[in-house]
Amino acid sequence: MFSQSWRLGESDNALNRFYFRLRSGVNRQLSEWLARNAFFGNDLMVLEAGCGLAEGSQMLASMPQVRLSVALDLDPEALKLAREQSSGVSLVRGDLFRLPFKPGAFDLVWNNSTFEHFHDRAKVIHEMIHVTKGGGRVFIGVPYRRGPLFFQRWIARTGLGEWIGPLFNERTLAIEMEGAGLTLEKSATFYFKIFIGCLVRKS
């Protein structure tokens, strides 16, 4: 959702500023939560799989526990803008359905506002697990069914409804992730309960 919001404001400066503030707020809150809950040790390798403008990856890159923050997206326009705005992040063009990294390369693999837009979500989870180390963490954040976006169910087939994407609660998201052999560690709502995320451990 917010990972693609730059498209909505590309020709409107006021809209651009609004979405920039919105994205920045989401990414700041989420990166701080990940640092508190998903970082185990130092010298960490972190991957944002589906990054948009990669603001979250840039925030994580500035944290002392992180050795390398990698941000991947398929959209060359998003990566071009990310390259202009980001520092300290390794940007990679690639497909979330076929991540171009070695098995077990990362301590944390995460995304927010991306997962809900895929039909084959099991494949996305499989790929994220594949490039995560044993004992490493996977985090996925999605729009929250009981939050301010509850109205999406009534506008699901409109342009706005499709942009928001399907809504989840803790149980529906945890079932998809635990079904892939992951162990749920924590879940949390964030950014005014617009999103819910699950943090899981690769056994």
Side-chain angles (χ1 to χ4, degrees), residues 68-139:
L68 180 65
S69 180
V70 179
L72 172 141
D73 206 283
L74 190 60
D75 188 337
E77 295 177 58
L79 290 175
K80 180 182 177 183
L81 289 171
R83 196 165 282 112
E84 293 169 359
Q85 299 176 20
S86 299
S87 60
V89 178
S90 295
L91 297 166
V92 177
R93 187 179 182 202
D95 188 348
L96 225 158
F97 288 92
R98 189 176 294 179
L99 291 173
F101 305 107
K102 292 180 180 179
F106 296 95
D107 300 283
L108 169 65
V109 180
W110 69 282
N111 68 45
N112 183 54
S113 189
T114 303
F115 181 73
E116 67 271 17
H117 293 290
F118 296 112
H119 292 294
D120 190 357
R121 292 193 287 266
K123 175 63 174 172
V124 172
I125 294 174
H126 172 80
E127 285 294 298
M128 293 176 74
I129 295 169
H130 185 63
V131 298
T132 303
K133 294 178 181 177
R137 270 67 182 180
V138 175
F139 174 87

Side-chain angles (χ1 to χ4, degrees), residues 6 9 12 27 37 39 43 47 54 56 64 66 76 84-85 87 94 131 135-136 145 150 160 164 169 179 191 195:
W6 64 273
D12 186 317
N27 284 300
N37 295 282
F39 284 6
D43 207 31
L47 169 66
V66 175
E84 293 169 359
Q85 299 176 20
S87 60
V131 298
R145 181 175 296 167
F150 67 90
L160 177 60
I164 294 171
N169 59 30
Y191 206 69
F195 297 101

